[in-house]
Amino acid sequence: MANVWIGFNSADRQRNRWRTGVMMLALAGVIVAAGLTVREPGRWWWLGGFGVFFMATGFSMINWIYGRVLLSATGVEFRTFVSKRSIPWSEVASVEKRQRVLRSGIWWDLRVVRVRGRSLTIPGTLTNRMMDAELEQKLSAIQERRSRAPDC
């Protein structure tokens, strides 16, 4: 059985790059505005705080866009921008589709629910399309791999 990669396709990756770019420009604008308007001695603390937040947000968004999951016969391997983590199928309790309602709309993603430990969001599965056929294909591919695992 061949390994399967789960992640954003090129069109979704491009769309998310645009969103990230707009968000980074907005945050950079906040940092510049704070630098120009705050006149108190603690101004550099404000700028440093915004700068750290800016870097953490940008790094998180890049990690979210380029992260992928490898489904193998032995388990699920998360590969993100900075880490690589493997979870055997025996530690996976279920894979669920999660819905989140935000001001920007309704979003869906997939999560690996572990027997022990916290649940992990599968990178490359976030969508705001209500009936997303690609998300359903990813979910069925994960469930099929999990059902064929020898130690489940």
Side-chain angles (χ1 to χ4, degrees):
M1 183 169 18
N3 293 341
V4 176
W5 285 101
I6 302 286
F8 283 126
N9 62 31
S10 60
D12 287 340
R13 198 174 296 124
Q14 181 69 24
R15 183 174 38 256
N16 287 318
R17 276 195 295 253
W18 277 103
R19 286 182 186 155
T20 300
V22 169
M23 176 70 97
M24 292 295 100
L25 285 174
L27 287 174
V30 168
I31 291 172
V32 169
L36 295 175
T37 59
V38 176
R39 297 288 181 215
E40 60 189 54
R43 165 174 131 172
W44 297 110
W45 286 105
W46 280 101
L47 292 177
F50 277 126
V52 167
F53 179 71
F54 176 79
M55 295 299 291
T57 303
F59 194 70
S60 173
M61 292 176 106
I62 290 169
N63 197 33
W64 171 63
I65 292 170
Y66 292 101
R68 298 187 311 167
V69 168
L70 177 65
L71 305 175
S72 67
T74 58
V76 181
E77 188 175 302
F78 289 81
R79 291 189 183 180
T80 60
F81 194 60
V82 294
S83 69
K84 186 173 161 182
R85 175 186 226 171
S86 185
I87 300 172
W89 288 117
S90 60
E91 291 184 22
V92 176
S94 67
V95 178
E96 62 184 29
K97 185 176 174 182
R98 182 177 65 161
Q99 176 183 351
R100 292 186 284 168
V101 179
L102 305 170
R103 280 199 246 167
S104 61
I106 301 173
W107 296 82
W108 291 269
D109 62 5
L110 300 177
R111 293 183 64 84
V112 171
V113 179
R114 296 173 32 191
V115 175
R116 287 178 303 278
R118 64 183 180 90
S119 299
L120 300 171
T121 301
I122 299 173
T125 61
L126 186 69
T127 184
N128 64 349
R129 295 182 291 262
M130 186 172 293
M131 301 300 283
D132 191 356
E134 188 175 346
L135 183 66
E136 295 301 326
Q137 288 175 348
K138 291 174 183 177
L139 178 60
S140 66
I142 296 168
Q143 289 173 339
E144 179 184 344
R145 281 296 170 136
R146 185 171 175 263
S147 69
R148 291 185 182 182
D151 57 351
C152 282

